[in-house]
Amino acid sequence: MGLMSRVLRGLFVAGLLSGCTQDKTTTWKTYPLKRNSPHDGLAVVSQPDGYGVHFYLETDTSDPDVCSPRWLPDPARLFNGNGTAPFSAGLAPRSEFFSAVKRREVRDALRQELEALCRLRAPQARWQWIAPPLNASELTPVSLPALEYEDLLTDPAEERQREEELLKDH
């Protein structure tokens, strides 16, 4: 066997071995991916095939002087994240939310987008960063106001009867 064929065979084997041991991870690419308005979504590509999570970004403006993040730990599944038309559908596991927010580059992107969202939604309010929960034990449920009787819809038949009585009087 000639020297050239041994060199070529060695290069071929080295190429095969490097292909087998090559790290198949992605660089955790992040970019804004809006849902309804600018800055209300962030795509995080966490897998080499373009899959990842789509964070739905929300703000807490319950205090008119302060705008801060409201964390929704159930992101959507991101598809085609490396392509020209990324989209999301369904839910990704919460474990992927926690994996993503543990990365500094993801937290930095979240902070940037949420601050911009606060400037749009509450321009007079002071921006306050609240770090995302890093595990399930840090989650705090969102407390929503209770429904009061006046918030409930009336029975359509009763409403129709009231309308007819009002019309009779006039």
Side-chain angles (χ1 to χ4, degrees):
M1 189 184 289
L3 178 65
M4 185 59 116
S5 64
R6 278 189 284 200
V7 168
L8 287 176
R9 180 185 288 176
L11 287 174
F12 178 73
V13 169
L16 283 176
L17 290 175
S18 70
C20 293
T21 61
Q22 191 175 33
D23 188 11
K24 300 285 187 191
T25 60
T26 185
T27 59
W28 287 76
K29 180 172 66 169
T30 63
Y31 54 89
L33 182 60
K34 79 177 200 172
R35 295 174 7 214
N36 299 312
S37 63
H39 309 293
D40 70 351
L42 182 75
V44 178
V45 181
S46 59
Q47 298 175 25
D49 53 5
Y51 286 97
V53 292
H54 185 191
F55 284 98
Y56 287 179
L57 304 181
E58 281 299 328
T59 57
D60 182 358
T61 55
S62 56
D63 178 350
D65 296 329
V66 178
C67 182
S68 59
R70 176 173 284 154
W71 294 109
L72 305 175
D74 298 307
R77 166 62 62 218
L78 177 69
F79 296 94
N80 197 26
N82 293 327
T84 57
F87 67 96
S88 62
L91 286 178
R94 277 192 177 177
S95 60
E96 289 187 42
F97 170 87
F98 295 124
S99 293
V101 298
K102 286 178 181 172
R103 301 183 67 86
R104 185 173 3 134
E105 66 267 27
V106 173
R107 286 192 311 272
D108 290 345
L110 286 166
R111 186 177 192 153
Q112 182 179 357
E113 289 303 306
L114 282 160
E115 185 174 4
L117 186 60
C118 271
R119 281 195 306 269
L120 286 175
R121 291 186 174 172
Q124 75 289 353
R126 175 178 54 84
W127 160 246
Q128 180 182 12
W129 171 249
I130 296 173
L134 299 178
N135 56 54
S137 66
E138 295 179 13
L139 289 176
T140 55
V142 176
S143 62
L144 299 172
L147 286 176
E148 300 294 333
Y149 182 75
E150 60 269 7
D151 296 327
L152 302 175
L153 295 174
T154 58
D155 179 25
E158 290 177 16
E159 189 64 30
R160 175 64 129 192
Q161 186 178 8
R162 279 190 220 119
E163 287 175 6
E164 290 172 0
E165 287 175 12
L166 285 171
L167 290 174
K168 285 180 190 176
D169 293 339
H170 290 357

